[in-house]
Amino acid sequence: MSVGRSANKVWNNPIGRLLTLLVGGGLVAGALTIYPQILPVVRWAIPVSFVLWGASRLYFYGVGDPLSLATGCLLILGGFTYASYLLISMDEFTGTIAQLTPAVGIFTELFAAHYRNQD
């Protein structure tokens, strides 16, 4: 059995997926414990990944589908708002909006993926 087929077999199983995510989270937590100077890299990787994820949605699915367009734009905006939250001191309301924008982008991506898979 090839490595790719084994990985697909584990990832398609819900318990295997949960264990994979737990092991990955444990590795990240262990790396942060051993090397605390990595923390700024991990902290800034989150907004960068939101921007790249949003750009990939726009690149792969184009601007013809309104839901994919909204998803891409919300993820990119969420990446920038979360980065500004990390960079600038904000009050409670502005900080909440800056942190909720990526969450709204993620939920619209879930809806867009659901409707893409139905076609």
Side-chain angles (χ1 to χ4, degrees):
M1 185 181 282
S2 70
V3 174
R5 209 174 330 159
S6 298
N8 280 335
K9 188 175 181 181
V10 169
W11 188 253
N12 289 334
N13 186 356
I15 294 174
R17 189 176 294 185
L18 178 66
L19 288 175
T20 303
L21 292 173
L22 286 174
V23 168
L27 289 174
V28 169
L32 289 175
T33 303
I34 294 171
Y35 302 108
Q37 62 268 26
I38 297 177
L39 184 62
V41 174
V42 173
R43 185 177 293 153
W44 283 100
I46 295 169
V48 169
S49 64
F50 281 134
V51 170
L52 292 176
W53 189 15
S56 73
R57 299 297 94 187
L58 292 176
Y59 179 76
F60 288 128
Y61 300 110
V63 295
D65 181 25
L67 195 54
S68 293
L69 176 66
T71 297
C73 291
L74 278 170
L75 286 171
I76 291 171
L77 179 66
F80 284 123
T81 58
Y82 191 69
S84 66
Y85 170 75
L86 293 176
L87 199 60
I88 301 168
S89 173
M90 297 182 181
D91 62 342
E92 286 126 9
F93 181 72
T94 310
T96 301
I97 296 300
Q99 290 181 352
L100 280 178
T101 307
V104 172
I106 291 170
F107 284 122
T108 57
E109 169 58 27
L110 291 172
F111 283 121
H114 173 73
Y115 287 119
R116 277 193 300 267
N117 290 335
Q118 282 187 346
D119 291 339

